[in-house]
Amino acid sequence: MEIKYPTHRPHLRVRITCLVVGLACLALAIPRALGAFGATPSSGGFIVNDGANLVFTVNSSGDMPSCKYKGTELNDQSKASCIASGLGASSVTCTTNGGNVIIIKCVSTALGGTLTHYYIVQSGVDNIYMATYPTAEPSVGELRYIFRGQFNVLPNGPADSNNNGNTGAIESTDVFGHSNGQTTSKYYGSARAKDLTVQGATGSGVGVFTAFGTRESSTGGPFVRDIENQGDGTGSDQEIYNYMNSGHHLNLTINGQAEGFRVNVLHGPYAFVFTTGGTPSVPSMSFIANLGLMGYVSSSGRGTVHGSASGLDSGASGMVGFANSTAQYWTTVSGGSYTCSGMKPGTYTATLYQGELSIGTGSANVSAGGNTTLNLTGSSPTTTSTIWRIGTWDGTPNEFLNGQTIMIRHPSDSRNTKWGPVTYAVGSAINKFPAVQFRGTNSPTTVTFTLTSAQAGAARTLKIGITDAYENGRPSVSINGHALSVPGIPTEPSDRSFTTGTYRGNNTTFSWSIPSSDFVSGANSMTITPASGSSDSGPWLSASFAYDCVELDN
């Protein structure tokens, strides 16, 4: 039976609620002082006690203004934890399942479309399980749940996203500088989607962690990163997030198709996990299968794809990703084969990745209870014979100068190696070549190389692979003073990318056929700088691109 507040006759709210609670939830309405498992109506919402250490409130808007662990208030008392910037629910109801599970269902039309959000609690378990079903992307442009903790209670979050003690914003209002030259932002320190397990913050005798759960309804594929934490810089909030969709990855192409927000599907389940400070393991959420959540697909209604995966470079990591308009999945390649289970029925485009670089595609049809065979064969760019190659064809700039720090700090950070401009001699250490080419900071990059008379006496192909670009940046190249044609604008995400912790865009390879007249026998020189018709907003917010690999083919 359901406890429901009628929105059309508010004067009956208290009487109807008390009657339904008395009939349906007598065991759940035992006074809080006894520490009993239950949900008690309160001001149009509910106070929930998990019967162990956790008591939290869901208000009439479907937000969570209070969350107490062992009697300590964790939630910022000036701002509620919530979906988007506040759910604005028009209906908040409570049901029970088997006497040991409470489900609070919040339905809102305030954010565009209809958004249904669930809070779920098991008796004696200090977790708040959640799931979210939107029929449209929220009007704020992103689908996220924010746990707004008190910073003084939960001061120990990821250092890269702790903005407290900053000396002011150095970019927009979300990247901050510190007196030692270091930088922090809510964008830094997050894990890629494929690596998400649990992350959170701790204090004295308490920890709050997001268990991110399935990403099947999220946007962006296995390699995207989004906001997971922020010490907000005021000393007030320790924000712990689960981002499901966001505008940070618009125009990202996955498996050959533009990624859009996934709506009319269930996001989750996911959970906020409360501990005495230790990092928890990912909790089992299998019990949620029996709760009748909107859009939930049980294991019996799912299928599997398996097969061989060939064409990867020796020693390269491989992954197979699947995507369509309603779901995404991925799995690793091991011993030349892969298996991806738990997929919702439908037709998927499959991509074989070498590192993060697509080297092959296919199509698979998944049916409930089925096990589809799909053998994938990739074509690695590394098989091309070259005169020289700078970097590795893996879809990342990680091996280059400051490549490992893009995800965790602003490029201006004092801990980074000086960017340049750089003169790079082919054959030098790879980490001397820049990960990102900024027009306003480290351009040009000059590449020097030696050719034999035979090598210089024939036309050659130059290739430059990039992983992402900002402000329509693409390579403008000159060899021995001979300017090559400027390529067209690549399709890339429109966000700031390299200054907000990501190099993940749409991998693009530019290719030029170079006549022998551009080369000389002996020492040659090539310069690379970003071309763009867009104006630069500063040295770091300038036309730019991240390198994947540069090569001169034989």
Side-chain angles (χ1 to χ4, degrees):
M1 188 173 290
E2 181 180 55
I3 308 168
K4 184 169 183 177
Y5 290 123
T7 57
H8 61 293
R9 302 178 70 185
H11 62 284
L12 296 179
R13 177 177 293 178
V14 174
R15 278 184 286 166
I16 292 176
T17 296
C18 291
L19 175 62
V20 177
V21 169
L23 294 174
C25 300
L26 181 61
L28 302 181
I30 297 172
R32 299 302 104 209
L34 298 180
F37 175 68
T40 301
S42 175
S43 302
F46 295 90
I47 299 173
V48 181
N49 190 319
D50 73 350
N53 302 300
L54 195 63
V55 178
F56 66 95
T57 300
V58 177
N59 64 18
S60 59
S61 296
D63 304 330
M64 185 167 62
S66 174
C67 184
K68 295 180 179 179
Y69 181 76
K70 293 189 174 183
T72 298
E73 178 62 67
L74 306 180
N75 204 93
D76 186 327
Q77 291 302 282
S78 65
K79 291 176 283 187
S81 299
C82 56
I83 283 282
S85 298
L87 187 57
S90 57
S91 172
V92 179
T93 60
C94 176
T95 57
T96 63
N97 182 276
N100 63 350
V101 176
I102 296 169
I103 308 105
I104 295 180
K105 179 181 178 181
C106 308
V107 181
S108 173
T109 57
L111 299 176
T114 300
L115 192 151
T116 302
H117 181 71
Y118 298 93
Y119 297 86
I120 302 166
V121 175
Q122 287 180 298
S123 177
V125 179
D126 292 329
N127 300 338
I128 304 175
Y129 303 91
M130 299 186 188
T132 310
Y133 189 104
T135 63
E137 189 71 1
S139 54
V140 295
E142 48 195 16
L143 181 66
R144 65 188 181 188
Y145 194 93
I146 310 174
F147 182 89
R148 299 186 186 277
Q150 296 188 59
F151 187 85
N152 64 338
V153 178
L154 297 163
N156 306 314
D160 298 319
S161 54
N162 181 5
N163 300 319
N164 290 285
N166 71 76
T167 55
I170 63 169
E171 184 178 298
S172 187
T173 58
D174 51 22
V175 181
F176 298 90
H178 296 259
S179 59
N180 58 4
Q182 297 181 10
T183 56
T184 58
S185 174
K186 62 184 179 181
Y187 295 106
Y188 301 153
S190 303
R192 292 173 295 181
K194 71 181 186 66
D195 300 320
L196 289 177
T197 54
V198 295
Q199 181 167 298
T202 63
S204 178
V206 64
V208 181
F209 298 84
T210 306
F212 296 94
T214 173
R215 314 310 293 170
E216 68 179 5
S217 298
S218 299
T219 297
F223 309 117
V224 301
R225 302 167 58 256
D226 223 318
I227 300 165
E228 294 171 19
N229 172 268
Q230 177 176 224
D232 73 349
T234 68
S236 173
D237 277 11
Q238 181 73 268
E239 297 170 351
I240 303 169
Y241 296 84
N242 181 30
Y243 258 76
M244 293 162 273
N245 284 339
S246 82
H248 304 144
H249 309 297
L250 294 178
N251 299 321
L252 192 64
T253 298
I254 304 294
N255 304 334
Q257 62 185 14
E259 276 278 274
F261 298 130
R262 290 186 170 92
V263 296
N264 294 306
V265 290
L266 187 70
H267 290 255
Y270 52 99
F272 285 86
V273 180
F274 300 82
T275 75
T276 57
T279 301
S281 57
V282 177
S284 172
M285 305 185 200
S286 59
F287 76 98
I288 292 175
N290 302 316
L291 303 184
L293 304 192
M294 182 184 298
Y296 191 93
V297 179
S298 65
S299 57
S300 63
R302 297 171 177 267
T304 297
V305 180
H306 75 281
S308 62
S310 59
L312 296 164
D313 290 344
S314 177
S317 63
M319 178 166 284
V320 177
F322 297 88
N324 60 24
S325 61
T326 60
Q328 60 174 6
Y329 304 95
W330 47 81
T331 188
T332 56
V333 175
S334 178
S337 64
Y338 72 93
T339 299
C340 189
S341 303
M343 300 171 65
K344 292 193 292 188
T347 299
Y348 294 84
T349 300
T351 299
L352 175 60
Y353 293 100
Q354 177 168 279
E356 299 183 19
L357 180 67
S358 170
I359 62 169
T361 60
S363 179
N365 186 58
V366 177
S367 59
N371 193 347
T372 301
T373 300
L374 176 64
N375 297 322
L376 293 168
T377 301
S379 179
S380 171
T382 305
T383 59
T384 300
S385 176
T386 64
I387 295 175
W388 50 258
R389 176 178 290 132
I390 304 170
T392 303
W393 287 107
D394 63 358
T396 83
N398 289 343
E399 68 269 35
F400 297 129
L401 177 72
N402 295 322
Q404 293 286 333
T405 70
I406 292 172
M407 295 194 292
I408 60 174
R409 64 185 69 140
H410 193 270
S412 67
D413 195 290
S414 61
R415 291 167 290 182
N416 281 339
T417 302
K418 181 177 172 59
W419 281 92
V422 168
T423 296
Y424 178 83
V426 168
S428 300
I430 295 300
N431 63 3
K432 303 298 183 183
F433 191 87
V436 181
Q437 195 71 59
F438 296 97
R439 183 166 63 180
T441 304
N442 65 337
S443 291
T445 289
T446 301
V447 178
T448 60
F449 56 97
T450 300
L451 298 178
T452 66
S453 57
Q455 291 169 332
R460 304 291 174 186
T461 299
L462 173 70
K463 295 176 184 174
I464 298 179
I466 69 170
T467 70
D468 195 5
Y470 177 69
E471 291 286 26
N472 299 324
R474 65 269 197 201
S476 175
V477 182
S478 180
I479 296 180
N480 295 324
H482 302 281
L484 306 185
S485 60
V486 176
I489 297 172
T491 300
E492 298 291 353
S494 55
D495 60 319
R496 285 171 280 162
S497 299
F498 315 124
T499 61
T500 56
T502 185
Y503 57 78
R504 180 71 279 129
N506 300 322
N507 289 305
T508 301
T509 299
F510 302 98
S511 181
W512 296 264
S513 180
I514 305 172
S516 60
S517 57
D518 285 5
F519 297 117
V520 297
S521 177
N524 290 256
S525 179
M526 175 175 71
T527 59
I528 308 172
T529 192
S532 174
S534 301
S535 300
D536 295 341
S537 299
W540 305 107
L541 291 178
S542 60
S544 49
F545 52 84
Y547 288 101
D548 181 11
C549 197
V550 182
E551 69 178 34
L552 185 64
D553 292 348
N554 205 345

